[in-house]
Amino acid sequence: MQPLEISGYQLKAEIAFSPLQAAELVSLLARTKSIFELEFNTLPSERYLHHPALGICRQELDEAGEQLIRAGVIENLLMETAGNLSEFSRGFRRLTGVAWMDLIEPYRKSAEYLIALPRAV
């Protein structure tokens, strides 16, 4: 895939990391003020999103790659928002990392001509 920016890089690698090493790597990369998405296939799987304007967003993933949100976190959000639906919606979008995904998504897309290529069966 071609990077979105000339000074950008894309890397896909399989490296064994412990959860502590993964967190250290994310912290070190965040200090560079770069935009990145890292996914670790540990137990449980984790995804880290970083954008300099938003900071780090950590997401725990299930086996299907869907984000897990614990019941206690949702209960806290309900208590914080006190029944205000618009505040709950805003908080839920923050919990699910929508703002990070919106800013990182352009970096994830592959070139359109690659999608149009026929696939061998």
Side-chain angles (χ1 to χ4, degrees):
M1 292 191 305
Q2 187 66 27
L4 181 66
E5 298 175 357
I6 293 173
S7 62
Y9 297 95
Q10 292 184 2
L11 171 70
K12 185 174 185 176
E14 292 189 28
I15 305 170
F17 280 105
S18 71
L20 182 58
Q21 290 171 320
E24 288 176 14
L25 176 62
V26 169
S27 178
L28 288 170
L29 284 173
R31 290 183 200 151
T32 66
K33 298 186 178 174
S34 58
I35 299 168
F36 63 84
E37 172 184 18
L38 294 176
E39 195 167 311
F40 296 96
N41 294 324
T42 56
L43 288 175
S45 293
E46 296 176 316
R47 176 189 302 137
Y48 291 90
L49 307 168
H50 178 263
H51 192 281
L54 300 173
I56 298 170
C57 177
R58 179 189 171 272
Q59 300 175 334
E60 194 171 311
L61 307 173
D62 65 9
E63 291 82 17
E66 291 288 325
Q67 182 181 357
L68 297 174
I69 300 176
R70 307 237 179 251
V73 173
I74 293 177
E75 185 177 5
N76 284 341
L77 180 59
L78 283 169
M79 290 173 51
E80 287 174 11
T81 58
N84 184 328
L85 185 58
S86 63
E87 285 297 311
F88 179 82
S89 177
R90 190 174 66 78
F92 190 76
R93 289 173 57 83
R94 178 182 43 81
L95 283 176
T96 56
V98 171
W100 284 267
M101 290 295 203
D102 287 346
L103 293 172
I104 291 174
E105 185 62 30
Y107 294 90
R108 299 166 92 197
K109 293 186 178 179
S110 60
E112 290 181 17
Y113 67 88
L114 292 177
I115 296 169
L117 291 174
R119 296 181 183 167
V121 181

